Amino acid sequence: MTEKKEQKESYPKYAPGTHVHDKDIYERKITYTWWEPEVQYSWSLGPAMSRFLQELKAGKIIGIKCNRCRRVIVPPRMFCEYCYGPTSDWVYLKDTGTVETFSLSYLDADARRIEEPILIGVISIDGASPKHGFMHYFGEMKPEELKIGMKVKAVWKPENEREGSITDIKYFKPFRGGEE
Amino acid sequence: MKDVAVIGAGMTLFRRRLKETGKELSFLAAKMALEEAGIQKSDLDMVVMGSAPDAFDGIHMKGENLIDGAAAAGKPYVRVFNGGGTGVFAPIAGWWHVASGVADIVMVVCEEKMGSCYPHPQTAFRHIWDPIIDRPLNPNLIWLFAMEMNRYMTVYNIKKEDIARVAVKNKRNAVGHPCAQLADPNITIDDVLNSEVMAWPVQRLDVSPPSDGASALIYCSKDKVHQFTDDPIWVDGVGWGIDSTMWTNRDLCFPRYVATAAKMAYKMAGITNPPKDIDFAEPYDPFDYKELHHMEGLLLCKKGEAPILTREGVTQRDGDLPICPSGGLLGVGNPIAATMGQKVCEVYWQLAGKAGKRQIPGDPRVGVGQAWGDIMQMATVIVLRR
């Protein structure tokens, strides 16, 4: 049995393919074609997220309750994905919460390097069920101050600059007891 | 259900950019698999193609574009994809073609060409974020993994150096792999810990590279397998599972959807005690922490225990539970769907005793492959047995 195995060849037996580099393209050393798509999208948001974003414009965070599993859900949706029944009661939540996780990003959206890190993470919102929240930026703190479990509070754009977007909240800042 | 055997596999070189087109890469991988099985295109009843987001190749509905390279012209053919889960989901779909009795001989081909997307495939990844609540924040996909890694590290009190050991192990394991993109026999934990910070806690060497590549796998029904081999490798179990897309409404410290998929596959395979019944595994490792996360999701150890097993050498190729003996995505490369080459082809080659320098000692009989994808929510699992 062992002898039989030793006779076997090693797989994959070879590695077909030809490696080329970025510069081969930029210096036109290989034949290629190029295309830049021009496409634009506009999404209509449906009842649940339309209400959520309109409330953000008014400076409030709103969730919705599933009367079957009793979850208070944020971001809100018209149905509970687990119970698979309609959600019913809208619930205003606080604009404070807890940092569930975070990252200090030295990459922008196109993976280009940036000097000052973007502070981002997931905030579970006070008044919603545990672990229910959304992603956002952090500010008014040094990167090393940001910790999982830390209490934070939303910093809103001035009312006349809000447009019904998640960015109507500028970021979340550290929240210490007694502050408003 | 009919028993299904693997009778051949193939894969191309994995590199950041390959000169060949997607069709040509599919052809090269498929040709290697056909050679190993000793069959031709005319012997194939059906073909399954796996390829992940269209945006990388820039060819919408690219399954159609790839048909000719996948030996599927004139045959029943389907493309399946679920993001990073595709590399194991495509072979699951191929399996059900044969297990159902609809076909006897089926080839699965997986292809990905990420090098076509400029300036970086990350730009295409922007389009997978929710357009309402996530995209206005201008996110980078690495953020997702950085946030999951941080949650995992914090909840289970895991040190970064114990996570870095995974990158070191896999890049060293890849040294014996002829297709490998990032094999490094001399890499150290310090190299990983000192590499560029991309989105803390994710550093450059914690991450697998974007790659071009293709892989292929050929199945045969039990009725016909005697024509090709006396020593078949069987598909013993398959499982898949997905959780809600609302990833900010779940605790990211444990991938429960991986456990769902694993339990389905283990039940089919009669595995009751995974750490004991499974000889080795190829969990999906696009990031070093993901190998650990997935070992826990695959129920190969307790929650938070995978870093300890790694530190103790249990997951080395000559350890009690070898993990990613191929070199994984971290060492061999990450052409999304084509990672079937490490996650399934490698499991087959290991069980067949054909893995050469990468061969696990001790006559392994049961191996598990797993992939993971979408917005941290999809898992696909396959169990092979000799």
Side-chain angles (χ1 to χ4, degrees):
Chain A
M1 190 67 200
T2 314
E3 273 176 39
K4 189 181 162 191
K5 264 191 186 168
E6 280 169 3
Q7 286 163 8
K8 280 182 182 170
E9 288 171 282
S10 177
Y11 286 72
K13 281 191 196 172
Y14 55 101
T18 314
H19 188 195
V20 294
H21 296 87
D22 239 8
K23 64 175 170 50
D24 298 327
I25 289 174
Y26 290 127
E27 294 170 10
R28 296 186 169 265
K29 285 186 180 161
I30 61 165
T31 311
Y32 68 90
T33 61
W34 190 269
W35 188 64
E36 293 182 37
E38 288 176 35
V39 189
Q40 293 178 8
Y41 295 90
S42 167
W43 291 282
S44 58
L45 298 190
M49 286 309 285
S50 294
R51 172 83 189 264
F52 178 74
L53 295 182
Q54 286 308 313
E55 294 287 354
L56 287 181
K57 197 174 176 184
K60 290 173 180 163
I61 300 174
I62 199 164
I64 202 162
K65 192 171 178 185
C66 170
N67 277 325
R68 228 187 269 184
C69 68
R70 305 266 161 199
R71 278 197 306 157
V72 177
I73 306 168
V74 70
R77 35 243 193 218
M78 291 314 293
F79 54 89
C80 172
E81 68 273 23
Y82 294 114
C83 305
Y84 212 58
T87 48
S88 49
D89 304 327
W90 291 94
V91 185
Y92 283 107
L93 310 174
K94 293 185 177 171
D95 71 347
T96 56
T98 307
V99 178
E100 290 293 330
T101 187
F102 69 88
S103 172
L104 315 174
S105 181
Y106 294 86
L107 297 177
D108 75 2
D110 289 314
R112 281 181 288 251
R113 273 45 180 178
I114 46 177
E115 287 288 318
E116 288 300 314
I118 303 167
L119 279 52
I120 45 100
V122 177
I123 303 105
S124 59
I125 300 297
D126 289 338
S129 291
K131 311 288 172 205
H132 280 60
F134 45 80
M135 178 169 71
H136 221 296
Y137 302 121
F138 300 104
E140 295 183 37
M141 63 176 91
K142 289 179 186 154
E144 56 272 24
E145 289 175 73
L146 184 52
K147 296 274 185 283
I148 288 178
M150 153 180 204
K151 296 293 292 179
V152 289
K153 181 173 171 63
V155 175
W156 297 84
K157 278 185 183 166
E159 207 169 339
N160 59 357
E161 289 176 23
R162 291 182 212 148
E163 50 189 7
S165 163
I166 190 69
T167 56
D168 287 351
I169 297 173
K170 283 159 75 176
Y171 51 79
F172 283 78
K173 66 171 186 178
F175 179 54
R176 297 171 186 92
E179 269 179 62
E180 195 37 65
Chain B
M1 278 191 313
K2 297 203 172 197
D3 288 339
V4 181
V6 182
I7 58 168
M11 62 192 285
T12 65
L13 193 66
F14 284 4
R15 286 294 181 274
R16 175 75 177 85
R17 222 171 249 103
L18 291 170
K19 187 175 185 179
E20 290 78 7
T21 65
K23 277 186 212 182
E24 289 164 345
L25 293 176
S26 302
F27 170 76
L28 293 171
K31 190 166 147 283
M32 190 189 288
L34 290 166
E35 281 168 9
E36 188 185 344
I39 62 173
Q40 299 179 346
K41 183 192 167 190
S42 54
D43 296 312
L44 299 172
D45 295 324
M46 299 183 185
V47 175
V48 173
M49 165 59 68
S51 199
D54 291 340
F56 293 132
D57 287 42
I59 299 170
H60 193 44
M61 306 205 298
K62 63 179 163 178
E64 283 67 17
N65 179 268
L66 295 168
I67 286 173
D68 296 358
K75 294 183 188 292
Y77 168 84
V78 66
R79 171 205 177 187
V80 296
F81 65 105
N82 35 39
T86 310
V88 174
F89 191 72
I92 288 173
W95 167 84
W96 76 52
H97 280 58
V98 181
S100 63
V102 170
D104 280 311
I105 301 181
V106 168
M107 181 159 68
V108 182
V109 182
C110 286
E111 179 272 356
E112 212 75 57
K113 224 173 144 59
M114 301 174 78
S116 312
C117 185
Y118 273 76
H120 192 278
Q122 282 289 341
T123 307
F125 270 134
R126 290 177 73 171
H127 300 266
I128 77 166
W129 292 89
D130 182 274
I132 308 171
I133 195 159
D134 293 335
R135 235 183 274 187
L137 297 170
N138 242 344
N140 181 294
L141 195 74
I142 302 279
W143 292 8
L144 272 183
F145 312 118
M147 289 188 281
E148 189 180 62
M149 180 173 172
N150 194 4
R151 183 79 196 158
Y152 174 60
M153 284 172 64
T154 305
V155 169
Y156 298 116
N157 195 21
I158 296 164
K159 288 183 189 146
K160 271 217 74 179
E161 64 181 71
D162 283 334
I163 292 177
R165 285 173 206 279
V166 173
V168 171
K169 168 176 69 69
N170 292 4
K171 288 173 195 293
R172 288 186 177 193
N173 277 354
V175 169
H177 203 303
C179 303
Q181 184 173 350
L182 286 182
D184 185 346
N186 302 314
I187 188 173
T188 64
I189 293 171
D190 281 344
D191 291 338
V192 181
L193 295 177
N194 294 330
S195 63
E196 178 196 11
V197 178
M198 299 173 81
W200 194 91
V202 172
Q203 293 177 256
R204 155 78 44 207
L205 292 178
D206 292 317
V207 190
S208 61
S211 317
D212 286 2
S215 56
L217 191 74
I218 299 175
Y219 288 131
C220 181
S221 68
K222 189 179 182 180
D223 303 342
K224 291 200 173 173
V225 74
H226 61 274
Q227 298 174 20
F228 305 104
T229 177
D230 299 329
D231 205 5
I233 305 302
W234 301 101
V235 180
D236 232 23
V238 296
W240 61 101
I242 191 160
D243 208 336
S244 164
T245 311
M246 305 307 288
W247 61 279
T248 62
N249 292 171
R250 322 184 232 123
D251 196 328
L252 301 175
C253 68
F254 180 74
R256 59 190 183 194
Y257 47 90
V258 178
T260 305
K263 283 175 189 166
M264 176 179 165
Y266 296 166
K267 189 178 174 193
M268 198 184 293
I271 289 171
T272 51
N273 184 350
K276 229 180 145 204
D277 297 348
I278 293 165
D279 296 324
F280 71 100
E282 277 279 346
Y284 208 60
D285 62 320
F287 293 76
D288 43 12
Y289 82 95
K290 286 308 302 185
E291 172 172 310
L292 306 169
H293 216 217
H294 289 151
M295 283 172 64
E296 294 168 19
L298 287 168
L299 312 173
L300 295 172
C301 59
K302 293 183 189 126
K303 292 176 186 176
E305 196 182 46
I308 300 166
L309 297 183
T310 306
R311 192 195 311 147
E312 291 173 349
V314 173
T315 63
Q316 293 286 344
R317 187 180 282 134
D318 59 358
D320 285 345
L321 183 61
I323 301 290
C324 291
S326 68
L329 279 54
L330 288 161
V332 184
N334 186 6
I336 316 265
T339 59
M340 178 175 78
Q342 298 101 303
K343 300 304 154 193
V344 186
C345 300
E346 177 76 9
V347 177
Y348 158 68
W349 284 321
Q350 288 284 352
L351 291 172
K354 292 177 169 181
K357 285 182 192 163
R358 307 183 312 285
Q359 185 64 45
I360 295 169
D363 212 20
R365 292 190 164 267
V366 178
V368 169
Q370 176 250 336
W372 164 83
D374 298 339
I375 305 278
M376 305 192 284
Q377 66 192 119
M378 174 77 200
T380 47
V381 177
I382 194 164
V383 182
L384 302 187
R385 185 189 298 267
R386 179 157 57 82

